Amino acid sequence: MLAGYIIPWMLVLFWVFSGVALGAEVFMTSIEVITSKEKVRNVVIDGKAKKFHTRVWNPTVANLTLMALGSSAPEILLSIVEILKENFHAGELGPSTIVGSAAFNLMVITAVCLICLPEGEVRRIEQLSVFLTTSFYSVMAYVWVLIIVVVWTPEVITVTEGVLTIVFLVLLIIQAYMTDRYFTKSKLAQEYVTVVTDAGEVVDPEFAAKTLDDARTSGIVEPGTDTGRLASFLKPQSRAHYRRNVIKSMKSPRAPSTSVTSEADHAQAMADISKATAESMKATFSFRDPKADPEPDPEAAAAAPSPKATSTRFSRRSSSKSSPGLGEKSVTRVRPDAASVNGVICFKDEVVSVLESVGSVTLHVERRGGSEGEVQVAYTTKEQTATADADYVSQSGTLTFAPGEVEKQITIEIIDDDMYEKDEEFTVVLTEPTGGAVFDHKTDGESNAAICTVIIVNDDEATGKLGEVLAYVNMLNLDNLRLARANWGTQLREAVDIGEGASLFECILFVLMVPWRLLFALVPPPALWGGWPCFAASLMGIGFQVVLINDFASQMGCQMYIKKPVTAITFVALGTSLPDTFASMQAAREDKSADNSIGNVTGSNSVNVFFGLGLPWAMAAIYWKLVGADDEWKARYPTFVDEYPNGAFVVYSADLGFSVVVFTCCAITTLSVILVRRYWGDPPGELGGNRRHAFMHAGFLVSLWLLYITLSVLSTEKMITTF
């Protein structure tokens, strides 16, 4: 009879968690749009005025603010919603869910990432200084909770304590930014990689890195060879990218596979290629003083004659030297001996202006300083103030330069809408050069890309003063509004369209998810106004779902005769953390570093406390400070009336305090295991390596999580004595 009540509630709760995962996809998409926003800097290089596009958001700041909010939105909103529903009295679900989710994230997700890599593959945290900073704050955050709940003003949160909790988040963001900006010194910071075959043949560094990585994985070369992580380290994906991909794969179980061979056949083929290539290839690492080996002048390199291939070596490094006039840290530099043979890829003109009625614009891409061998470069258009598919036709592809070929063209269609607008612009970005080609660090994009800005000059006449005024209001981009309306309609149609070939089971799942699909189809498209309307609307949608989680979890706990804190640290914490688990697994497999998979967990856990507890607790403390104690408050907290006659925000410490103590001990142990693996692993690295050791460490971390759950449950059920 009991199961007849419990199972339906569990299914309903699972249904809501599935909806939260769907909302998280929309939310993460808006965050990616927001954090990809660029700003333009006008600089003078060699007497010429140039435009440089740089990201507005620092990656570390984005991870600790919007990204952390995106991955932890259910837990944070649950804490806030519970305070509001309880009329500014402390609840039990919110704080316990935050602590329980932190335990699952740190211990279980790390354990899963340890064992998800193939035999021999290793992932290391590249931004170690940032990781250590967030790790310190993640432990300190829970120690701080213990101080304000148990020690400072026992079982009462004052306004000062609530505000200080939020201030710690600001300090964390500032310190992490300063660490990332000025003190991060990756192993790649002054590392040159030269790749040349025994016969003197030059090999593309990215191809060599991948080949040597495959060879290392197959046991052909020494496991300590670290070249495999060079290429992908230069342009890592964001955590939002992996979270969104996981939800997409959950929504599309029938996605076709592009593989035409079995995994075993592919692995064997790669092993054969790696063995053949690695035997004729050698990679040397040397550390040099950048002052003694200054950066080359790309223009001089371009004008220099091409030497013979037998004397050529590829070298790649990451330098902290700033580009002229920018003050920005450049990610990669390439020495001139590589560029002189295979060429510097750049646009003939970095800024091109065309009339809106021109029909199309042709951009010229040049290969300067050398033309030996075949090289390729990817290109794509990117919105700035112009709107894709409303002002111009978006386009992407690959340019292939044959040996001796020095110029390619990209033609982009310009759309004439016959409406008066201000001048708008978009960019065309070249990335991912192969075959040894490089970019000019004195052009827009520096050494990471080549960027051309296309300005669409309006040649329509205003139909009236009102149209002219509206055209010059930045927020009223008429093309953006028209495209958003079209995308909105597409979202609604796709929300109720299951497509063809769906099985009966898939049809049932689709019907169950239709309410959530419709809810988030009503959210404004991410492209509208920089993603902020989508951000706010999807956050409200998740907030509505959190209200349901609060009610359903409480009802399920009642049916199972378990208390709210136990429900929070088990079912609720597990449900809110599962999407992050799969996202971290994907990041561990696809990235060549561990930053996105486990490096961001500590930052997210810190934000959960400083914002997820700090904000609602500060709100409640301020409320009771202003309102004062009423009869209901005095009846609810009779033991606090004498000490706090004017009222206060009360948070009982028994279960929460003990849970925090246990978590803190387990967290310190988990972080110690991670660091031990980094320096004394087999081979050294936080993730992967020796499978036997990885499974042993993963099992130990999972046992820590089970220990935390067990002790917390025993404390809540009064089976053990706590403070």
Side-chain angles (χ1 to χ4, degrees):
M1 187 67 178
L2 182 62
Y5 289 105
I6 296 174
I7 294 177
W9 281 115
M10 292 183 66
L11 292 176
V12 169
L13 198 60
F14 176 78
W15 175 68
V16 179
F17 284 137
S18 300
V20 171
L22 184 64
E25 180 206 347
V26 179
F27 192 50
M28 283 296 190
T29 302
S30 70
I31 290 174
E32 281 199 297
V33 172
I34 292 170
T35 55
S36 66
K37 183 176 177 58
E38 295 179 338
K39 60 183 177 181
V40 177
R41 289 188 175 186
N42 296 311
V43 298
V44 177
I45 298 179
D46 298 334
K48 297 180 181 179
K50 294 189 176 185
K51 288 185 176 182
F52 277 71
H53 290 79
T54 58
R55 286 286 181 95
V56 173
W57 285 83
N58 174 272
T60 298
V61 174
N63 281 335
L64 291 175
T65 52
L66 295 180
M67 296 292 184
L69 180 60
S71 62
S72 302
E75 298 96 313
I76 294 173
L77 289 176
L78 179 60
S79 182
I80 296 173
V81 167
E82 189 177 38
I83 287 287
L84 297 177
K85 286 192 64 177
E86 296 289 338
N87 296 321
F88 294 96
H89 293 288
E92 295 178 301
L93 272 180
S96 297
T97 298
I98 284 179
V99 180
S101 178
F104 185 90
N105 291 345
L106 183 59
M107 300 165 207
V108 178
I109 289 182
T110 301
V112 170
C113 291
L114 282 178
I115 61 176
C116 72
L117 298 179
E119 174 71 34
E121 286 197 18
V122 177
R123 302 289 186 269
R124 293 169 60 86
I125 294 174
E126 299 294 348
Q127 293 182 307
L128 181 61
S129 56
V130 175
F131 174 74
L132 293 177
T133 300
T134 56
S135 296
F136 168 77
Y137 274 91
S138 68
V139 174
M140 189 271 284
Y142 291 91
V143 173
W144 171 250
V145 170
L146 193 65
I147 291 173
I148 62 177
V149 173
V150 178
V151 180
W152 191 349
T153 52
E155 299 189 324
V156 169
I157 304 298
T158 64
V159 174
T160 301
E161 293 168 341
V163 172
L164 277 178
T165 305
I166 300 176
V167 169
F168 281 130
L169 174 60
V170 178
L171 293 178
L172 166 62
I173 294 171
I174 293 174
Q175 185 172 341
Y177 170 76
M178 298 293 288
T179 301
D180 174 57
R181 185 70 177 83
Y182 299 106
F183 301 106
T184 296
K185 292 184 178 179
S186 167
K187 284 181 65 178
L188 301 178
Q190 293 181 337
E191 185 174 54
Y192 291 84
V193 180
T194 302
V195 181
V196 60
T197 64
D198 289 331
E201 178 187 358
V202 177
V203 181
D204 174 25
E206 294 191 9
F207 170 76
K210 184 180 185 307
T211 303
L212 288 175
D213 190 39
D214 293 333
R216 175 178 57 77
T217 303
S218 305
I220 299 173
V221 298
E222 291 296 325
T225 305
D226 243 353
T227 53
R229 60 193 175 91
L230 289 175
S232 62
F233 173 73
L234 301 177
K235 295 187 68 178
Q237 296 286 359
S238 68
R239 186 173 179 83
H241 166 82
Y242 294 110
R243 174 86 179 240
R244 189 160 52 86
N245 280 356
V246 165
I247 304 302
K248 279 188 175 181
S249 64
M250 293 168 62
K251 288 169 57 181
S252 305
R254 304 187 313 277
S257 172
T258 57
S259 176
V260 294
T261 59
S262 67
E263 291 186 6
D265 292 339
H266 175 73
Q268 182 60 46
M270 288 305 302
D272 293 341
I273 295 173
S274 298
K275 184 174 182 179
T277 309
E279 288 176 351
S280 63
M281 182 184 299
K282 55 184 178 182
T284 60
F285 292 80
S286 60
F287 295 86
R288 307 180 186 178
D289 184 358
K291 295 181 180 179
D293 189 12
E295 289 296 330
D297 182 352
E299 294 183 0
S306 300
K308 294 182 179 180
T310 54
S311 62
T312 303
R313 288 177 179 268
F314 278 101
S315 301
R316 172 169 297 204
R317 71 172 180 172
S318 175
S319 170
S320 59
K321 187 173 181 178
S322 300
S323 296
L326 276 179
E328 293 284 343
K329 185 167 60 177
S330 177
V331 178
T332 58
R333 300 287 191 206
V334 182
R335 295 174 57 79
D337 46 3
S340 60
V341 172
N342 302 90
V344 176
I345 304 297
C346 59
F347 284 100
K348 181 179 181 180
D349 300 300
E350 291 185 63
V351 180
V352 176
S353 297
V354 295
L355 293 176
E356 187 180 33
S357 59
V358 72
S360 64
V361 58
T362 299
L363 308 178
H364 299 269
V365 181
E366 296 183 337
R367 180 185 186 186
R368 301 174 182 173
S371 59
E372 292 191 10
E374 179 181 282
V375 300
Q376 292 183 330
V377 62
Y379 71 90
T380 185
T381 55
K382 185 173 183 179
E383 291 184 351
Q384 298 298 329
T385 55
T387 303
D389 299 322
D391 294 309
Y392 67 95
V393 177
S394 59
Q395 190 173 326
S396 62
T398 302
L399 299 178
T400 301
F401 290 84
E405 192 173 13
V406 295
E407 182 175 316
K408 284 287 186 181
Q409 296 179 349
I410 303 174
T411 300
I412 300 169
E413 182 181 348
I414 305 298
I415 300 174
D416 187 2
D417 53 18
D418 295 325
M419 295 186 63
Y420 186 83
E421 303 174 284
K422 63 178 182 177
D423 295 345
E424 298 170 315
E425 64 182 50
F426 66 94
T427 54
V428 181
V429 184
L430 304 179
T431 56
E432 302 175 11
T434 64
V438 297
F439 295 124
D440 185 348
H441 74 278
K442 287 190 175 183
T443 61
D444 191 5
E446 301 182 77
S447 300
N448 306 316
I451 301 175
C452 175
T453 301
V454 179
I455 302 174
I456 303 175
V457 180
N458 176 68
D459 56 359
D460 298 314
E461 294 185 2
T463 57
K465 289 295 182 183
L466 179 60
E468 186 173 351
V469 170
L470 291 179
Y472 278 91
V473 177
N474 287 333
M475 290 298 291
L476 293 179
N477 185 322
L478 300 181
D479 290 325
N480 191 275
L481 290 174
R482 287 196 301 272
L483 188 62
R485 183 174 61 183
N487 289 342
W488 227 327
T490 302
Q491 288 178 184
L492 289 170
R493 287 192 297 272
E494 290 180 348
V496 294
D497 182 15
I498 192 174
E500 299 179 357
S503 65
L504 177 61
F505 178 71
E506 290 170 343
C507 289
I508 294 174
L509 289 181
F510 180 84
V511 171
L512 291 175
M513 293 297 292
V514 162
W516 302 131
R517 294 171 68 94
L518 285 174
L519 173 64
F520 290 101
L522 295 173
V523 170
L528 180 64
W529 292 339
W532 288 107
C534 179
F535 177 89
S538 57
L539 193 61
M540 288 189 290
I542 295 174
F544 167 72
Q545 293 171 321
V546 164
V547 173
L548 298 181
I549 290 174
N550 190 328
D551 293 337
F552 293 155
S554 299
Q555 289 293 330
M556 188 185 72
C558 291
Q559 297 293 338
M560 297 178 67
Y561 299 102
I562 59 177
K563 296 180 180 179
K564 284 187 177 181
V566 177
T567 305
I569 64 174
T570 52
F571 296 104
V572 180
L574 187 65
T576 56
S577 298
L578 277 179
D580 279 329
T581 305
F582 295 113
S584 294
M585 285 178 58
Q586 185 180 15
R589 289 168 177 165
E590 295 185 10
D591 275 4
K592 291 297 182 181
S593 73
D595 293 278
N596 270 327
S597 52
I598 65 170
N600 290 328
V601 169
T602 52
S604 180
N605 286 351
S606 304
V607 174
N608 279 355
V609 171
F610 293 142
F611 190 73
L613 291 183
L615 179 61
W617 284 5
M619 290 166 49
I622 293 172
Y623 174 84
W624 290 113
K625 182 74 173 179
L626 296 176
V627 173
D630 54 16
D631 293 337
E632 180 192 356
W633 188 92
K634 293 177 181 179
R636 190 166 185 166
Y637 310 110
T639 58
F640 292 88
V641 173
D642 293 338
E643 189 173 357
Y644 300 96
N646 296 322
F649 177 53
V650 178
V651 177
Y652 288 116
S653 63
D655 298 332
L656 179 61
F658 181 75
S659 179
V660 167
V661 169
V662 175
F663 167 76
T664 302
C665 295
C666 293
I668 293 174
T669 305
T670 300
L671 294 172
S672 300
V673 170
I674 292 174
L675 293 177
V676 166
R677 286 182 55 84
R678 177 181 181 86
Y679 295 105
W680 294 284
D682 180 23
E686 287 85 348
L687 305 182
N690 184 288
R691 296 286 287 175
R692 179 171 172 270
H693 293 172
F695 272 95
M696 288 174 55
H697 295 152
F700 176 69
L701 296 184
V702 172
S703 68
L704 285 179
W705 178 68
L706 293 175
L707 176 65
Y708 159 76
I709 294 293
T710 302
L711 292 178
S712 297
V713 170
L714 293 177
S715 171
T716 302
E717 299 297 336
K718 308 303 179 186
M719 296 181 181
I720 58 176
T721 303
T722 61
F723 49 84

